[in-house]
Amino acid sequence: MSTIMKRLSLVLFLCQTFVLLVSGQTVTIFGDSYSTFEGYITPETNEPWYFQNSQRPQRTDVKSVKQTWWHQLITEQGWQLCTNNSYSGSTISYSGYDGADYTLRSFNKRMTNLGCPDIILVFGGTNDSWAGAPVGEYKYEGITQADIFSFRPALAHMLEYMTQRYINTRIYFILNDGLSDEIDESVLTICKHFGVPCIELENIDKLSGHPSVKGMRQIADQISAYLKGQ
């Protein structure tokens, strides 16, 4: 066999190996209402925002789990769903709407229950922005429970735990569009600190502040394009 043929064979082998590595991987969705769907979130006590055959078309036109961004993405990438721990209205910090204590539904409370996936897609920060949660200061050490009521130390605490707990797992943060500048800046800064890639969404179509069928497709496409670019 000539040198050129040997090289071509090696390239083909490497490409085939890459395809095998990429396909069949397990993925966990860790999110808020944008990633929920009735009957497809764990634990079952988590509150969904999207329902099967929704009778409220003015609220959303998403009626099937197959229309969600994560179902489309996982199907097209050839992945397997490990778990979807998403909770409608959940914040990364412990601060919720109208100053309520959202500790029990927060990302920081749920981050221990994500299975053992190859990939984790974190889609949060929206409710922190909408609820006007305290942003706080950047803090990476000595974070207390009281600190987690503010967004920046809460996100730092979460990503520190996740990067140490989910070893050899690829973690991506998905950043919604239309959030406050402080939340956007905080997410980008803290993700960079922990080496977590941040996928910034753009111009997502929404109804009632939530992705429509078109918006779900846009999210799946933008995440896919980001991963392909890597």
Side-chain angles (χ1 to χ4, degrees):
M1 182 182 295
S2 68
T3 301
I4 294 178
M5 289 301 294
K6 288 181 180 178
R7 289 177 178 174
L8 288 174
S9 297
L10 177 59
V11 170
L12 179 60
F13 170 77
L14 291 174
C15 288
Q16 291 172 334
T17 302
F18 175 77
V19 170
L20 289 173
L21 288 172
V22 172
S23 62
Q25 294 189 95
T26 56
V27 59
T28 282
I29 308 301
F30 188 31
D32 50 31
S33 58
Y34 279 37
S35 305
T36 63
F37 199 88
E38 179 187 24
Y40 291 87
I41 47 179
T42 304
E44 294 182 355
T45 51
N46 287 6
E47 295 179 13
W49 195 89
Y50 292 97
F51 291 85
Q52 189 77 31
N53 298 318
S54 174
Q55 300 301 309
R56 291 176 285 183
Q58 74 280 5
R59 183 183 187 186
T60 182
D61 56 354
V62 176
K63 299 181 180 180
S64 167
V65 69
K66 293 182 179 180
Q67 296 173 314
T68 61
W69 69 266
W70 54 268
H71 197 288
Q72 296 180 73
L73 180 68
I74 290 172
T75 300
E76 292 161 8
Q77 293 290 334
W79 294 337
Q80 298 176 25
L81 179 64
C82 176
T83 190
N84 182 351
N85 189 335
S86 296
Y87 199 133
S88 181
S90 60
T91 49
I92 290 176
S93 70
Y94 289 163
S95 295
Y97 290 90
D98 300 319
D101 187 334
Y102 269 30
T103 299
L104 294 180
R105 71 173 63 193
S106 71
F107 282 65
N108 267 274
K109 190 69 174 180
R110 297 184 287 120
M111 64 186 178
T112 60
N113 188 20
L114 303 180
C116 297
D118 298 305
I119 301 167
I120 298 176
L121 299 178
V122 184
F123 197 167
T126 297
N127 288 298
D128 296 89
S129 180
W130 289 356
V135 175
E137 301 297 327
Y138 290 110
K139 189 174 183 180
Y140 299 105
E141 296 180 353
I143 297 173
T144 66
Q145 290 296 300
D147 289 328
I148 302 177
F149 280 88
S150 296
F151 182 74
R152 285 172 176 165
L155 180 57
H157 183 262
M158 183 188 81
L159 291 184
E160 180 180 32
Y161 174 86
M162 290 180 64
T163 53
Q164 293 180 4
R165 163 64 178 83
Y166 301 102
I167 304 168
N168 294 326
T169 296
R170 287 182 288 157
I171 300 172
Y172 297 90
F173 193 101
I174 303 166
L175 180 59
N176 193 14
D177 63 345
L179 304 187
S180 70
D181 292 340
E182 283 188 310
I183 293 294
D184 287 344
E185 176 196 343
S186 300
V187 170
L188 294 171
T189 299
I190 297 170
C191 281
K192 183 178 180 180
H193 178 86
F194 288 102
V196 173
C198 183
I199 305 172
E200 299 180 70
L201 302 180
E202 297 180 353
N203 302 316
I204 302 302
D205 188 72
K206 299 170 185 175
L207 291 172
S208 305
H210 290 69
S212 61
V213 169
K214 179 181 178 181
M216 291 290 191
R217 181 68 261 174
Q218 290 173 318
I219 294 172
D221 287 343
Q222 289 183 28
I223 296 173
S224 181
Y226 181 92
L227 297 176
K228 184 178 180 180
Q230 281 199 319

